[in-house]
Amino acid sequence: MDNYRQLMAFIWAFEHGSFSAAARANDLTPSAMSKLITRLENRLGVRLVIRGARKVTLTEEGAAYLKSAKNVVAAMQEADSLAEAFPTRISGVLKIRTMPTFAQHQILPWLPEFLASYPSLSVDFELNAIYQDDFDRGVDLAIYGGILPSSSRIATRIGDSEWITCASPKYLQKYGIPSSPQDLLKHRCFHFSFSSSWNNWDFVKNDESLIIPVKPIASFSQGTFLRDLALRGEGIVRLADYHIGEDIKQGRLIPILRDFSSGITEPQYLIYANRKLQSPRIRCFIQFIQQKVKENPWKIQY
C-alpha cells in the first residue's frame, strides 16, 4: 500500500506542479508529500524530481518513471472497472461435479434452457458416483446425496430421494413377484460395485428394520448399467427415484415390496465452497436448478 501511495504522490506532484499544491489537493501536508517521494526515490535508488522553490521539475529518470507510473495506475483502474462488473456478469466456465445419473436425468433435460439463458457461460461436468471434495482444484459446485463428510463447505438441500426396489414387467412375469424381502435372496439382483449405503436394501417387517444382504449376480460402478439391465428384464435393482421415476411412470419398471418400505429418504445437496464470496455463475445455476426441481419434483406418487 505504501508503495502505491509513493507512486501516486509522485504523479500528483508532477500534475499539480509543486508539493504544496499536490498536498492541498489530496489532504496531505507538504512535508508528508515530500517524505513519500523521498521514500520512493530511496527505494528505487535514483533521483526523480528536482525540488524548486515553487515548481517540481522531473529528472530524465523521473520523466521515464512517470510514464511507467501512469501505465500502472491506468492498469489498476481498468482492473477495478472489470472487478466492479463481477457481481452481475455471468460468464466463464462453470465446473460441476455430480453423479452421472443425476446429471442425465435431472440436469440434462434443463441444460439447453440454462445455456440459452447465459450465452457467455459454458459448463464443464465431471461425473462420478462418489463424492469428493475437489473445490481446491477448480470445481465450483457439486451435487450429491446422503451423509456428507464434515467440512467447511456449504450444503444446500434441494430435495429428498427415495431408493426404490424394482424390476421390469418382463422379469416379474418370468420369475415371479417377491412377496417378502427375504425372497430377494432367491432372485437375480444387481447393485453397485463400490462400498456404499446404496447397497443396503433396507425394509421394515413386523415393525422391525431389516437389511437384506442381496448377492448380486453382477455389480457396476454406474447406476445407468443397473437400470439398463433391469429394463431388459434381467433382474431386480434398487435405484433412486430421481433416476428411474420416469420409467416407473411409464410402466417400464415396477416397484416391488412397497408394503415393506422403510420410508427412509436421502437428502440431495448443492455443495459449494463459500456462501459470501460466491461467483455469479455459481449463484445463477443454484437458483436455476432449485427452481427446476420445484417445478418438476422427482418424487413418485403411488
Side-chain angles (χ1 to χ4, degrees), residues 173-218:
Q173 183 178 8
K174 183 176 181 179
Y175 293 96
I177 302 174
S179 59
S180 170
Q182 286 86 349
D183 290 345
L184 291 171
L185 298 175
K186 306 173 186 177
H187 279 265
R188 296 164 56 86
C189 297
F190 305 99
H191 69 32
F192 293 95
S193 58
F194 51 87
S195 177
S196 171
S197 61
W198 299 340
N199 288 334
N200 295 333
W201 293 31
D202 54 283
F203 301 93
V204 172
K205 186 176 181 180
N206 298 326
D207 295 326
E208 292 185 2
S209 298
L210 182 67
I211 294 179
I212 301 300
V214 297
K215 298 178 181 179
I217 58 174

Side-chain angles (χ1 to χ4, degrees), residues 63-81:
Y65 186 75
L66 177 66
K67 183 178 179 180
S68 296
K70 287 185 173 181
N71 288 339
V72 169
V73 173
M76 294 183 68
Q77 291 174 342
E78 181 181 2
D80 287 347
S81 177

